[in-house]
Amino acid sequence: FIHLLTLTLITAVAVWSGQSSSAPEPGSIKWYVEKAKEQGETSITMPAPQGIREEINTLDKALSTYHVAIAMPIASVTQAVDSYHIYTWYKLRILETLVAHPNPEVPPVLLPDSVLPANSNEIVIHILQGTVTIDGVRVTMISPDNHLLTLREKYLFFLSPDGSGKFAWLRAGPNAIFVIKPDNKIAPLVDKQSLMQIDVDASTLGSLDSMRKLAKAKAAELAQPK
């Protein structure tokens, strides 16, 4: 009887431990999905985790720091990359490089097969936002600092490439992407009224041609021997 009781207790502890370890962390994607299923919902919206953004307040500093390019998204895929992050990955076709800032010391990022191969005139980015279906529940992650891109539209990007040159981080956060309008005007993709956005507008008056001239001058300055 004692042996049977001991075995029963061990089994109970093992089952309880298994249930505990498999329970989703509060605030995780799986946690939101399970709450939705309990309530009979088939779609939910959850907030994106808040990250730390690089604070660059002037266009001059941005041109001195970031790889600046005009590019067009030509392919995309959305994935839940871990328990808390849903990313939409974009393959960008570089149409024009305004200032080059390679970062060979930054470790390469593992890219999804669906955005490969990335040719010499292409680079991949990801945006913390998007929609995926998990266990029959449509999960949409949103962030006030991000906005999804439109394929085949032109944008101005402030990028931080990794060591492979095939992926780039958006370390400037909301300042990293500007929409290029049909009249060659530029406007922030996400209007946060940051100091950098204000300075970009004051320095270029919203003109892509003015941005090109400033970038060309900065590239020439950076090319000068130290």
Side-chain angles (χ1 to χ4, degrees), residues 18-221:
Q19 289 176 341
S20 175
S21 63
S22 64
E25 289 289 332
S28 67
I29 297 170
K30 188 176 180 182
W31 183 83
Y32 276 97
V33 167
E34 292 198 359
K35 292 296 181 184
K37 292 173 73 173
E38 289 173 3
Q39 299 172 15
E41 298 175 354
T42 58
S43 63
I44 55 171
T45 298
M46 62 177 293
Q50 295 299 305
I52 299 174
R53 303 296 190 183
E54 201 164 56
E55 293 294 334
I56 288 185
N57 296 330
T58 68
L59 174 58
D60 183 73
K61 181 64 175 175
L63 293 174
S64 301
T65 304
Y66 298 122
H67 186 97
V68 185
I70 297 169
M72 173 190 298
I74 58 173
S76 69
V77 62
T78 303
Q79 295 178 332
V81 298
D82 55 32
S83 298
Y84 293 92
H85 300 83
I86 294 174
Y87 282 111
T88 298
W89 302 74
Y90 291 96
K91 181 194 285 190
L92 308 179
R93 178 169 295 154
I94 304 297
L95 305 176
E96 183 180 348
T97 298
L98 304 185
V99 181
H101 283 289
N103 293 284
E105 72 281 2
V106 178
V109 171
L110 182 63
L111 303 178
D113 290 341
S114 51
V115 292
L116 293 174
N119 299 321
S120 59
N121 65 333
E122 296 170 344
I123 198 165
V124 176
I125 64 170
H126 61 35
I127 292 177
L128 185 58
Q129 191 151 295
T131 300
V132 296
T133 299
I134 299 174
D135 292 341
V137 177
R138 183 178 170 86
V139 183
T140 298
M141 179 170 284
I142 59 172
S143 168
D145 287 345
N146 295 316
H147 197 291
L148 297 180
L149 307 180
T150 302
L151 296 184
R152 304 292 171 180
E153 293 286 335
K154 293 180 181 179
Y155 299 89
L156 176 72
F157 293 91
F158 290 82
L159 304 171
S160 294
D162 70 3
S164 72
K166 298 300 182 184
F167 175 83
W169 298 96
L170 301 176
R171 298 198 190 280
N175 297 320
I177 308 174
F178 286 72
V179 178
I180 299 177
K181 299 181 178 181
D183 60 358
N184 250 20
K185 294 291 186 178
I186 57 175
L189 178 66
V190 180
D191 188 1
K192 300 290 288 187
Q193 282 301 296
S194 68
L195 292 176
M196 178 177 156
Q197 287 180 357
I198 292 170
D199 192 51
V200 166
D201 187 61
S203 300
T204 67
L205 299 179
S207 166
L208 180 59
D209 288 338
S210 295
M211 176 67 78
R212 281 192 178 103
K213 291 177 182 177
L214 291 170
K216 183 178 179 180
K218 178 56 66 175
E221 175 188 326

